[in-house]
């Protein structure tokens, strides 16, 4: 049963952790937690909502236990041409780096909404927060991401052009 949810859990943990090593550990912890605490699922919410909550909490616990490890920086050699696939990978790495700089409360909400495609009600239920708080955290997280990624304009200003 857990095999079919592994990729979803990995995706959440990877984006929240910001690196494969911490994500792998958090995914393992989440799967163990789901297996050992399945009796605590009371059916008041969808199973996937509960699964997201367990995965998110396992990842955040893992990060708190280990602290943020410094990531080694490799020497970058300039290239004359850019492969489109490499550009997509670079964009994804930039997004991961920007996500890692967000405060935890914003990062969790943005990842669950924009990467896991949960609706606001499911996120509110998974995080045990009011829907208005979820909306605020997502909006503030997206604004902070835009700033970190070099696009400081508000979404309304971009749409009016």
């Amino acid at each position: 049963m857990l095999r079919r949810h592994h990729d979803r859990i990995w995706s959440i943990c990877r984006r929240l952790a910001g690196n494969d090593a911490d994500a792998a550990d958090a995914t393992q912890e989440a799967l163990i937690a789901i297996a050992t605490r399945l009796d605590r699922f009371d059916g008041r919410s969808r199973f996937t909502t509960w699964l997201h909550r367990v995965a998110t909490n396992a990842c955040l616990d893992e990060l708190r236990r280990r602290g943020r490890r410094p990531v080694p920086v490799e020497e970058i050699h300039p290239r004359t041409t850019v492969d489109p696939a490499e550009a997509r990978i670079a964009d994804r790495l930039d997004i991961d780096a920007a996500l890692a700089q967000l405060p935890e409360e914003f990062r969790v909400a943005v990842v669950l909404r924009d990467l896991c495609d949960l609706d606001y009600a499911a996120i509110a239920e998974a995080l045990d927060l009011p829907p208005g708080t979820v909306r605020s955290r997502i909006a503030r997280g997206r604004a902070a991401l835009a700033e970190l990624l070099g696009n400081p304009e508000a979404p309304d200003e971009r749409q009016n052009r």
Side-chain angles (χ1 to χ4, degrees), residues 47-68:
F47 179 74
T48 54
T49 301
W50 181 75
L51 184 101
H52 285 109
R53 182 178 187 141
V54 172
T56 299
N57 288 340
C59 186
L60 296 176
D61 288 347
E62 181 69 22
L63 292 175
R64 283 186 203 108
R65 274 194 299 274
R66 291 186 173 211
R68 299 298 295 182

Side-chain angles (χ1 to χ4, degrees), residues 44-45 49-50 52-54 56-57 108 112 120-134 137:
R44 288 186 296 169
S45 64
T49 301
W50 181 75
H52 285 109
R53 182 178 187 141
V54 172
T56 299
N57 288 340
V108 170
L112 292 177
Y120 291 100
I123 297 169
E125 191 173 335
L127 300 179
D128 196 27
L129 294 170
T133 302
V134 169
R137 288 183 180 182

Side-chain angles (χ1 to χ4, degrees), residues 51-117:
L51 184 101
H52 285 109
R53 182 178 187 141
V54 172
T56 299
N57 288 340
C59 186
L60 296 176
D61 288 347
E62 181 69 22
L63 292 175
R64 283 186 203 108
R65 274 194 299 274
R66 291 186 173 211
R68 299 298 295 182
R69 291 191 304 254
V71 178
V73 178
E74 297 178 20
E75 186 177 333
I76 299 174
H77 300 287
R79 293 191 175 174
T80 56
T81 61
V82 177
D83 179 14
E86 289 179 12
R88 285 192 302 276
I89 292 170
D91 289 346
R92 189 171 205 148
L93 291 172
D94 288 344
I95 291 169
D96 284 348
L99 278 169
Q101 293 180 51
L102 288 182
E104 182 178 289
E105 62 192 16
F106 298 156
R107 182 174 64 244
V108 170
V110 168
V111 166
L112 292 177
R113 176 67 191 126
D114 294 338
L115 297 143
C116 298
D117 205 27

